[in-house]
């Protein structure tokens, strides 16, 4: 360890740096703005200019940037006064600009509190049927408690979008959030309700976890120490980049979300299997999730958003495989969430799942988030026309497909 070698931990991390090459990708640099309907295109252009400067700076430091993103304040604020037709046309226009440019766009929560009007959630359900890059969310629990009306609105929205979008892909751009902090760069749960002109950064660092677990071969103490050091090394690099972007651009640095995001073959499921030596979903998976989360929470930088562990079934090829095999279930993923995963993410469900069943799933996530005061989300993907035992047929570069499991 650092004490025995007579070197401090940061020096040790520098010494280990070659282990972490190539650097993980930056999944996203996300800018947070307060949109004004009268000049929204100009605001987007100004924001993208800042983001492209940030991308150049990060890539000059050896961190490839996968996406730039813009998150607005909750969209019900800037559609106020528009008719339903005008709202859908405006959201479609925003989505078209995102596709043309391109950048990813999150328009925040349809409902933040249970007393909020559910009508924007219904409008959002319609918008998501045709949206390609536009994403949004809705809060089902917060410091004020569980939000039952919002849970119902989320269930109605997902059911509608699944029934009315090609291949039932509409719900992929929506998540229900519970106790989530603002300024996460990870979509679709990203939100803020402040003055804007700030940005945050998130890494696709499942590869870092994989590399450490492969090297440490199931030695929990060594894995814990080396993972904390590896994540700290890259987090400090992101913090330094964030501060320099702040100085160059005049935009505020909101912080870093150190959640080790996976993407398809950059798999957190495969990393966990290297640590446990058994299939993801077997005994030992929860302990590995806890170990990763502890390392994430030890990162010595300004943290935002989830700051946890993502286990997104359809965005992680190994987890999707284990889901298809029946090795992991909704209940297992909820159990892992108790040690701070991010809830139920990209869960494929049989097409006949009812609004009431969806409500019960959201209710479980909200209850767990409230109990442990931790950020959880639920991104549920019913596949209309498919039954348990059949395979999803999503057509999206960021989604894999999996066999649908019966609902308990």
């Amino acid at each position: 360890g650092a004490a025995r070698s007579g070197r401090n931990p940061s020096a040790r991390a520098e010494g280990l740096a070659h282990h972490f090459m190539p650097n993980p990708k930056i999944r996203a640099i996300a800018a947070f703005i307060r949109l004004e309907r009268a000049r929204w295109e100009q605001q987007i252009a100004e924001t993208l200019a800042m983001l492209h400067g940030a991308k150049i700076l990060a890539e000059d430091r050896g961190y490839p940037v996968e996406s730039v993103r813009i998150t607005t304040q909750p969209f019900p604020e800037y559609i106020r006064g528009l008719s339903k037709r005008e709202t859908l046309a405006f959201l479609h226009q925003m989505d078209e600009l995102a596709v043309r440019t391109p950048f990813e766009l999150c328009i925040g929560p349809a409902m933040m509190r249970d007393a909020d009007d559910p009508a924007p959630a219904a409008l959002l359900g319609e918008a998501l049927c045709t949206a390609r890059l536009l994403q949004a969310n809705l809060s089902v629990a917060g410091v004020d408690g569980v939000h039952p009306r919002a849970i119902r609105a989320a269930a109605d929205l997902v059911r509608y979008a699944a029934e009315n979008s090609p291949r039932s892909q509409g719900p992929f751009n929506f998540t229900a959030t519970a106790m989530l902090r603002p300024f996460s760069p990870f979509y679709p749960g990203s939100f803020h309700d402040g003055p804007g002109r700030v940005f945050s950064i998130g890494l696709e660092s499942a590869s870092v976890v994989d590399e450490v677990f492969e090297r440490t071969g199931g030695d929990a103490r060594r894995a814990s120490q080396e993972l904390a050091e590896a994540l700290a090394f890259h987090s400090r690099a992101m913090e330094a980049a964030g501060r320099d972007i702040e100085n160059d651009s005049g935009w505020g640095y909101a912080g870093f979300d150190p959640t080790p995001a996976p993407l398809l073959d950059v798999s957190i499921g495969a990393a966990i299997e290297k640590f446990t030596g058994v299939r993801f979903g077997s005994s030992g998976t929860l302990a590995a999730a806890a170990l990763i989360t502890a390392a994430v929470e030890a990162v010595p930088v300004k943290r935002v958003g989830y700051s946890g562990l993502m286990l997104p079934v359809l965005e992680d090829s190994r987890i999707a495989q284990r889901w298809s095999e029946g090795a992991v279930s909704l209940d297992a993923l909820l159990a892992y969430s108790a040690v701070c995963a991010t809830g139920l993410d990209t869960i494929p469900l049989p097409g006949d799942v009812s609004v009431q069943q969806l409500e019960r799933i959201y209710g479980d996530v909200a209850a767990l988030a409230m109990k442990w005061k931790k950020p959880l989300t639920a991104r549920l993907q019913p596949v209309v026309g498919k039954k348990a035992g059949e395979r999803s047929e999503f057509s999206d570069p960021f989604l894999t497909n999996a066999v649908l499991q019966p609902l308990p």
Side-chain angles (χ1 to χ4, degrees):
R4 283 195 299 278
S5 67
R7 299 165 65 193
N8 66 43
S10 62
R12 176 183 160 84
E14 295 288 345
L16 286 171
H18 68 277
H19 284 304
F20 316 138
M21 297 300 287
N23 287 334
K25 285 182 181 175
I26 292 176
R27 169 69 68 86
I29 304 174
F32 297 82
I33 65 172
R34 184 157 284 277
L35 200 74
E36 299 169 36
R37 203 164 72 224
R39 58 182 205 99
W40 71 275
E41 287 172 287
Q42 179 191 341
Q43 285 180 290
I44 296 282
E46 291 167 357
T47 304
L48 286 171
M50 182 280 290
L51 285 169
H52 289 136
K55 181 176 188 282
I56 289 165
L57 186 148
E59 291 187 335
D60 282 348
R61 298 186 183 188
Y63 287 87
V65 177
E66 196 160 81
S67 69
V68 293
R69 300 178 172 185
I70 297 176
T71 299
T72 72
Q73 80 271 35
F75 74 90
E77 182 181 310
Y78 53 81
I79 62 165
R80 199 169 289 132
L82 296 180
S83 69
K84 175 180 171 178
R85 187 180 58 78
E86 289 168 335
T87 294
L88 291 172
F90 180 55
L91 296 181
H92 181 71
Q93 209 181 343
M94 292 174 75
D95 183 53
E96 286 292 304
L97 180 62
V99 171
R100 274 199 316 274
T101 307
F103 65 97
E104 291 190 49
L105 173 65
C106 184
I107 58 172
M111 299 171 72
M112 288 188 72
R113 289 161 289 275
D114 210 38
D116 289 349
D117 180 3
L123 275 172
L124 175 62
E126 289 193 47
L128 291 177
C129 291
T130 56
R132 287 184 283 172
L133 291 178
L134 184 100
Q135 306 191 36
N137 51 73
L138 180 158
S139 170
V140 294
V143 291
D144 54 342
V146 173
H147 303 160
R149 286 175 72 213
I151 286 173
R152 180 60 189 259
D156 284 338
L157 182 164
V158 164
R159 185 71 239 171
Y160 181 89
E163 286 173 348
N164 293 282
S165 60
R167 298 177 190 263
S168 295
Q169 281 177 199
F172 179 52
N173 284 0
F174 169 80
T175 195
T177 67
M179 302 292 290
L180 180 59
R181 294 181 290 269
F183 303 122
S184 175
F186 294 118
Y187 277 20
S190 183
F191 80 99
H192 83 107
D193 197 23
R197 282 188 66 83
V198 298
F199 68 95
S200 66
I201 301 174
L203 283 181
E204 194 175 288
S205 56
S207 58
V208 177
V209 182
D210 185 85
E211 197 276 334
V212 170
F213 281 177
E214 184 165 32
R215 191 172 66 246
T216 53
D219 179 335
R221 183 171 294 177
R222 190 174 155 221
S224 178
Q225 180 183 358
E226 293 198 14
L227 183 58
E229 289 171 351
L231 292 175
F233 175 82
H234 293 298
S235 300
R236 285 193 199 95
M238 292 303 96
E239 180 112 306
R243 294 299 178 200
D244 288 342
I245 294 163
E246 181 176 56
N247 291 335
D248 289 353
S249 68
W251 285 61
Y253 174 57
F256 174 63
D257 191 333
T259 303
L263 187 62
L264 301 182
D265 291 336
V266 182
S267 167
I268 202 76
I272 287 172
E273 290 185 349
K274 285 177 182 173
F275 178 76
T276 61
V278 290
R279 280 199 311 178
F280 182 90
S282 304
S283 296
T285 304
L286 187 145
L291 187 154
I292 296 166
T293 303
V296 167
E297 291 177 342
V299 162
V301 297
K302 182 179 183 182
R303 284 181 281 139
V304 292
Y306 295 91
S307 297
L309 170 66
M310 285 180 182
L311 301 172
V313 173
L314 296 179
E315 287 184 327
D316 184 304
S317 53
R318 185 62 56 85
I319 299 177
Q321 179 188 344
R322 300 310 184 211
W323 179 274
S324 294
E325 294 166 357
V328 64
S329 64
L330 271 181
D331 285 345
L333 289 170
L334 276 172
Y336 307 151
S337 296
V339 296
C340 209
T342 50
L344 302 175
D345 198 14
T346 59
I347 306 291
L349 298 173
D352 60 359
V353 61
S354 68
V355 167
Q356 290 72 28
Q357 285 173 306
L358 291 168
E359 282 186 79
R360 289 198 289 271
I361 297 168
Y362 287 131
D364 283 351
V365 171
L368 191 62
M370 288 302 302
K371 168 64 179 172
W372 297 116
K373 302 288 182 279
K374 68 169 53 175
L376 297 176
T377 56
R379 188 160 37 152
L380 307 179
Q381 317 246 176
V383 189
V384 172
K386 297 281 186 182
K387 301 190 293 291
E390 296 182 324
R391 195 171 184 85
S392 64
E393 292 180 357
F394 294 117
S395 173
D396 185 289
F398 299 112
L399 285 180
T400 186
N401 284 293
V403 175
L404 307 180
Q405 299 299 334
L407 281 166

